[in-house]
PDB file of all heavy atoms in Angstrom:
ATOM      1  N   SER U  34       1.211   4.015 -32.161  1.00 97.00           N
ATOM      2  CA  SER U  34       1.991   3.916 -30.923  1.00 97.00           C
ATOM      3  C   SER U  34       1.081   3.816 -29.706  1.00 97.00           C
ATOM      4  O   SER U  34       1.398   3.123 -28.734  1.00 97.00           O
ATOM      5  CB  SER U  34       2.916   5.129 -30.784  1.00 97.00           C
ATOM      6  OG  SER U  34       3.756   5.242 -31.914  1.00 97.00           O
ATOM      7  N   PRO U  55      -4.511  -1.065 -17.993  1.00 83.00           N
ATOM      8  CA  PRO U  55      -4.764   0.372 -17.861  1.00 83.00           C
ATOM      9  C   PRO U  55      -6.128   0.797 -18.405  1.00 83.00           C
ATOM     10  O   PRO U  55      -6.785   1.662 -17.820  1.00 83.00           O
ATOM     11  CB  PRO U  55      -3.644   1.028 -18.668  1.00 83.00           C
ATOM     12  CG  PRO U  55      -2.844  -0.046 -19.266  1.00 83.00           C
ATOM     13  CD  PRO U  55      -3.302  -1.363 -18.767  1.00 83.00           C
ATOM     14  N   GLU U  77     -29.573   3.657 -19.336  1.00 73.00           N
ATOM     15  CA  GLU U  77     -30.806   3.864 -20.098  1.00 73.00           C
ATOM     16  C   GLU U  77     -30.570   3.580 -21.588  1.00 73.00           C
ATOM     17  O   GLU U  77     -31.334   2.890 -22.247  1.00 73.00           O
ATOM     18  CB  GLU U  77     -31.230   5.330 -19.907  1.00 73.00           C
ATOM     19  CG  GLU U  77     -32.500   5.718 -20.606  1.00 73.00           C
ATOM     20  CD  GLU U  77     -33.704   5.570 -19.685  1.00 73.00           C
ATOM     21  OE1 GLU U  77     -33.540   5.745 -18.469  1.00 73.00           O
ATOM     22  OE2 GLU U  77     -34.787   5.262 -20.209  1.00 73.00           O
ATOM     23  N   ARG U 110      10.485  17.721 -31.052  1.00 95.00           N
ATOM     24  CA  ARG U 110      11.019  16.420 -30.635  1.00 95.00           C
ATOM     25  C   ARG U 110      10.777  16.224 -29.141  1.00 95.00           C
ATOM     26  O   ARG U 110      10.963  17.143 -28.371  1.00 95.00           O
ATOM     27  CB  ARG U 110      12.525  16.342 -30.920  1.00 95.00           C
ATOM     28  CG  ARG U 110      12.848  16.048 -32.375  1.00 95.00           C
ATOM     29  CD  ARG U 110      14.345  15.767 -32.545  1.00 95.00           C
ATOM     30  NE  ARG U 110      14.626  14.339 -32.478  1.00 95.00           N
ATOM     31  CZ  ARG U 110      15.729  13.823 -31.918  1.00 95.00           C
ATOM     32  NH1 ARG U 110      16.608  14.609 -31.369  1.00 95.00           N
ATOM     33  NH2 ARG U 110      15.915  12.542 -31.918  1.00 95.00           N
ATOM     34  N   VAL U 159      11.884   9.549 -38.158  1.00 93.00           N
ATOM     35  CA  VAL U 159      11.994   9.112 -39.560  1.00 93.00           C
ATOM     36  C   VAL U 159      11.060   9.941 -40.436  1.00 93.00           C
ATOM     37  O   VAL U 159      11.426  10.381 -41.534  1.00 93.00           O
ATOM     38  CB  VAL U 159      11.677   7.606 -39.677  1.00 93.00           C
ATOM     39  CG1 VAL U 159      11.673   7.179 -41.140  1.00 93.00           C
ATOM     40  CG2 VAL U 159      12.691   6.798 -38.875  1.00 93.00           C
ATOM     41  N   ALA U 166      12.720  17.348 -43.594  1.00 74.00           N
ATOM     42  CA  ALA U 166      14.140  17.642 -43.738  1.00 74.00           C
ATOM     43  C   ALA U 166      14.807  16.551 -44.567  1.00 74.00           C
ATOM     44  O   ALA U 166      15.607  15.768 -44.053  1.00 74.00           O
ATOM     45  CB  ALA U 166      14.802  17.746 -42.368  1.00 74.00           C
ATOM     46  N   THR U 184       6.010   2.046 -39.141  1.00 96.00           N
ATOM     47  CA  THR U 184       4.613   2.193 -38.713  1.00 96.00           C
ATOM     48  C   THR U 184       3.877   0.867 -38.879  1.00 96.00           C
ATOM     49  O   THR U 184       3.116   0.438 -38.007  1.00 96.00           O
ATOM     50  CB  THR U 184       3.920   3.295 -39.538  1.00 96.00           C
ATOM     51  OG1 THR U 184       4.722   4.473 -39.482  1.00 96.00           O
ATOM     52  CG2 THR U 184       2.543   3.609 -38.993  1.00 96.00           C
ATOM     53  N   ASP U 251     -23.664  -3.743 -11.357  1.00 93.00           N
ATOM     54  CA  ASP U 251     -22.528  -3.475 -10.487  1.00 93.00           C
ATOM     55  C   ASP U 251     -21.593  -2.499 -11.184  1.00 93.00           C
ATOM     56  O   ASP U 251     -21.766  -2.177 -12.355  1.00 93.00           O
ATOM     57  CB  ASP U 251     -21.794  -4.770 -10.105  1.00 93.00           C
ATOM     58  CG  ASP U 251     -21.370  -5.542 -11.326  1.00 93.00           C
ATOM     59  OD1 ASP U 251     -20.604  -5.004 -12.130  1.00 93.00           O
ATOM     60  OD2 ASP U 251     -21.817  -6.700 -11.486  1.00 93.00           O
ATOM     61  N   PRO U 261     -12.309 -19.727  -4.316  1.00 96.00           N
ATOM     62  CA  PRO U 261     -12.717 -20.123  -2.966  1.00 96.00           C
ATOM     63  C   PRO U 261     -11.506 -20.448  -2.087  1.00 96.00           C
ATOM     64  O   PRO U 261     -11.520 -20.180  -0.891  1.00 96.00           O
ATOM     65  CB  PRO U 261     -13.563 -21.377  -3.201  1.00 96.00           C
ATOM     66  CG  PRO U 261     -14.064 -21.237  -4.589  1.00 96.00           C
ATOM     67  CD  PRO U 261     -12.999 -20.506  -5.356  1.00 96.00           C
ATOM     68  N   GLY U 287     -22.852 -24.761   7.906  1.00 97.00           N
ATOM     69  CA  GLY U 287     -24.099 -25.408   7.475  1.00 97.00           C
ATOM     70  C   GLY U 287     -24.901 -24.535   6.543  1.00 97.00           C
ATOM     71  O   GLY U 287     -25.209 -23.388   6.865  1.00 97.00           O
ATOM     72  N   ASP U 500     -50.021  -4.440   0.486  1.00 98.00           N
ATOM     73  CA  ASP U 500     -49.267  -5.474   1.204  1.00 98.00           C
ATOM     74  C   ASP U 500     -50.121  -6.102   2.296  1.00 98.00           C
ATOM     75  O   ASP U 500     -51.273  -5.719   2.513  1.00 98.00           O
ATOM     76  CB  ASP U 500     -47.928  -4.936   1.716  1.00 98.00           C
ATOM     77  CG  ASP U 500     -48.076  -3.955   2.877  1.00 98.00           C
ATOM     78  OD1 ASP U 500     -49.160  -3.895   3.497  1.00 98.00           O
ATOM     79  OD2 ASP U 500     -47.091  -3.232   3.148  1.00 98.00           O
TER      80      ASP U 500
END
Side-chain angles (χ1 to χ4, degrees):
S34 303
E77 181 93 31
R110 281 189 94 216
V159 175
T184 308
D251 55 60
D500 71 16

